[in-house]
Structure formats: C-alpha cells, structure tokens
Amino acid sequence: MSTKFPMTVQGAEKLALELEDLKKVQRPRIVQAIAEAREHGDLKENAEYSAAREQQSFCEGRIQEIEGKLSNAQIIDVTKIPHTGKVIFGTTVTIINQDTDQSVTYQIVGDDEADVKANKISVNSPIARALVGKEEGDVVVVRAPGGDVDYEIDKVEHI
C-alpha cells in the first residue's frame, strides 16, 4: 500500500495541464527534432541530435514524475469541507506577527505545491505545523531560526 500525499484541487489541475502539454506538445516536438537531426548524418558528432535526445530524456522523466505524483495524491477540495474556523490543509490563513503587527496570508498546500513567493506553504513547514488545528483568535508560537515568533490567527478561509 502506497502512502497518499495531500494535494489541493488547483495543484492537481496544474500538474495535469503540465502532463498534457508534455505528452501532446513537447513529446511530438522532440521526436520531430530527433528525426530532423538524424537526417544530418553522423550521430556521434551531431550536437542537435544529442540535445534533442537529452530533451527527450528530461521530458520522459518529468512525465513519469508527474504521473507518479498524481497517482499518489489525495486530492482535497477545501471548499467542500465544512468551515469550522479551524486551520486545516488547503485553508488560506491570515496571521499577524505580534511583535511587528505585520500581517501575512498563506495557503497551506502539499509539499509539491509549496511556493513561498506565491504565499503557498507546505503543510509540513514549521509555520503550517504550528497553525494546523488552531482557530481564529488563537496565538501560535513558530520556532524560527532567529528565535520564536508569536502570531495571532486573524482569519481562516476556505477558498
């Protein structure tokens, strides 16, 4: 039995779109490039052929990787889960730093979807681990490299 990994609906859709592009657009383009490079003769000294074969290897590896991720994903649609005010996987949480009064909003997502620049943090990150199970109004302590930071949970949204 394989372990299932949580993934948001959006994360699964993004991977499915990438997979479709790889199979229907990139793969045929690379096959064509290999065919054209073969026509140029000696394959040992053919840079175009080598580059196309390398692209093909990367493309096929990525296809296998995405198919594996999707087959092991437990896709969670947070909009279909009753809103209790508690922080759970997939929720979007606004927290306020108790020392600086600065607020930040994060969505808690699966490891493969995490993107700090897009304010998507992994469910396994220290901040998310401190937040999960808590609710609006709670103060949580996040252990950071520079010391503990207190955050108040301002808002929990299922979007």
Side-chain angles (χ1 to χ4, degrees):
M1 184 175 126
S2 66
T3 306
K4 292 284 188 186
F5 298 97
M7 185 178 292
T8 64
V9 171
Q10 297 88 342
E13 286 171 355
K14 187 175 172 190
L15 280 179
L17 286 172
E18 182 183 349
L19 183 61
E20 184 176 358
D21 177 64
L22 286 168
K23 286 182 169 182
K24 294 183 177 172
V25 178
Q26 303 305 324
R27 185 188 267 167
R29 181 186 58 74
I30 293 167
V31 168
Q32 181 63 36
I34 290 171
E36 287 172 12
R38 275 199 175 117
E39 293 170 8
H40 296 137
D42 186 5
L43 298 180
K44 277 186 254 161
E45 295 177 14
N46 188 327
E48 289 103 12
Y49 178 77
S50 295
R53 292 289 297 173
E54 194 172 302
Q55 281 184 332
Q56 183 181 41
S57 175
F58 176 81
C59 180
E60 295 304 321
R62 184 67 181 146
I63 287 170
Q64 286 184 336
E65 182 183 1
I66 292 172
E67 286 175 341
K69 285 178 181 180
L70 288 174
S71 69
N72 289 321
Q74 177 186 358
I75 300 168
I76 298 170
D77 185 351
V78 73
T79 63
K80 295 193 172 18
I81 299 171
H83 186 32
T84 62
K86 283 195 185 297
V87 178
I88 58 171
F89 179 85
T91 53
T92 300
V93 186
T94 302
I95 56 176
I96 301 170
N97 183 314
Q98 296 290 275
D99 294 330
T100 66
D101 248 6
Q102 287 184 309
S103 72
V104 64
T105 301
Y106 292 117
Q107 182 182 19
I108 299 175
V109 298
D111 289 334
D112 293 322
E113 303 170 81
D115 179 357
V116 174
K117 290 184 183 102
N119 286 10
K120 294 174 183 267
I121 58 172
S122 166
V123 68
N124 295 312
S125 70
I127 294 176
R129 284 201 309 262
L131 294 171
V132 169
K134 304 296 189 298
E135 50 192 62
E136 291 175 3
D138 286 355
V139 173
V140 297
V141 178
V142 177
R143 304 213 179 287
D148 293 353
V149 182
D150 294 341
Y151 291 98
E152 180 184 344
I153 300 173
D154 186 45
K155 187 163 46 173
V156 179
E157 300 174 276
H158 286 232
I159 48 178

